Amino acid sequence: MTPAIIAVEHLAKRVSDATGTLTILHDISFTLQARESAAIVGASGSGKSTLLGLLAGLDVPSEGTVKLDGEDLFALDEDARAALRARALGFVFQSFQLLANRTALENVMLPLELAGRRDARAAATDMLQRVGLGQRLSHYPRLLSGGEQQRVALARAFVVQPKVLLADEPTGSLDHATGEKVMELMFELKRERGTTLVLVTHDRGIAARCDRQLLIDAGRLAAQGETLSV
């Protein structure tokens, strides 16, 4: 059997302060195969974004393991985790996370430049053309609409050809019609490039488009399947 692209085993996250210890995630376990799509769903405050951060190795669990493309994230030091993220992961955020002082083209070039790619400009230009922004290469984020900014973010995420794309409420800052167009583009790019997609969403329609839904309820994996009532 082909190894899972993501394997989560007995993952838990606790934080402590003067008032005591709060358990954010309890004993989460699941696997995802290459090219699969999964929506992490649940009420606000249930632990969805914390789980996404752990899948990326941006946070460290209190217990448990996350294997990404066969590598145990938390057996690596931070430098090695960062290198694995750069090699295997793409990110899309609700707030776009574009650099305001860089053009659309420069934002998309950045991860390629960090990877030492000599073809960064050509590859970034091609990717922006793919997402319909070939006429916006020299525009700064402030001159782009919300939908255009999110398409730049998609181009930046996919240009490195990640094995896994992690998206946190990718349509949360967009109106419904614009969000629908952005999600259609995201799923098209996922299919074209064979990417595994994991996204956090409150939108039932978006969740239903994924192969699986992972329902987080009060920090526990309450259910997982193709169709959940959320």
Side-chain angles (χ1 to χ4, degrees), residues 24-30 32 38-49 51 198-202 204 207 210 212-230:
I24 301 174
L25 293 174
H26 306 253
D27 195 25
I28 303 286
S29 297
F30 64 89
L32 294 174
I40 301 174
V41 297
S44 295
S46 60
K48 302 186 302 298
S49 291
L51 176 57
V198 184
L199 62 88
V200 167
T201 185
H202 284 98
R204 296 185 183 189
C210 293
R212 292 170 58 195
Q213 298 177 41
L214 307 173
L215 174 61
I216 306 298
D217 183 12
R220 299 182 185 277
L221 182 57
Q224 56 178 311
E226 295 181 5
T227 304
L228 301 177
S229 178
V230 296

Side-chain angles (χ1 to χ4, degrees), residues 13-180:
K13 179 65 179 180
R14 294 182 292 272
V15 294
S16 298
D17 60 20
T19 64
T21 299
L22 173 65
T23 301
I24 301 174
L25 293 174
H26 306 253
D27 195 25
I28 303 286
S29 297
F30 64 89
T31 60
L32 294 174
Q33 299 300 316
R35 299 175 178 264
E36 197 170 10
S37 58
I40 301 174
V41 297
S44 295
S46 60
K48 302 186 302 298
S49 291
T50 298
L51 176 57
L52 201 70
L54 290 169
L55 295 183
L58 296 171
D59 195 5
V60 177
S62 303
E63 295 172 7
T65 61
V66 175
K67 288 185 179 179
L68 174 63
D69 197 24
E71 296 231 38
D72 185 341
L73 273 175
F74 305 110
L76 305 174
D77 62 24
E78 179 50 41
D79 287 344
R81 283 202 299 274
L84 180 56
R85 278 194 295 272
R87 184 174 76 248
L89 291 180
F91 298 90
V92 176
F93 302 94
Q94 177 178 343
S95 56
F96 317 135
Q97 299 289 341
L98 301 178
L99 297 176
N101 63 343
R102 290 178 179 252
T103 65
L105 180 60
E106 289 167 343
N107 267 281
V108 179
M109 287 173 61
L110 183 59
L112 298 172
E113 291 174 328
L114 293 173
R117 289 269 298 271
R118 294 186 177 184
D119 64 339
R121 180 172 293 273
T125 299
D126 288 347
M127 195 68 229
L128 282 165
Q129 290 173 339
R130 171 62 188 85
V131 301
L133 294 176
Q135 304 304 313
R136 298 285 191 271
L137 302 181
S138 62
H139 286 56
Y140 289 90
R142 69 180 181 276
L143 301 176
L144 300 173
S145 69
E148 287 172 334
Q149 289 185 65
Q150 195 61 300
R151 282 191 277 159
V152 174
L154 281 177
R156 182 183 57 188
F158 277 104
V159 76
V160 297
Q161 300 184 3
K163 293 186 177 182
V164 177
L165 178 69
L166 303 178
D168 194 359
E169 295 286 1
T171 62
S173 296
L174 305 174
D175 64 76
H176 179 74
T178 303
E180 285 284 313

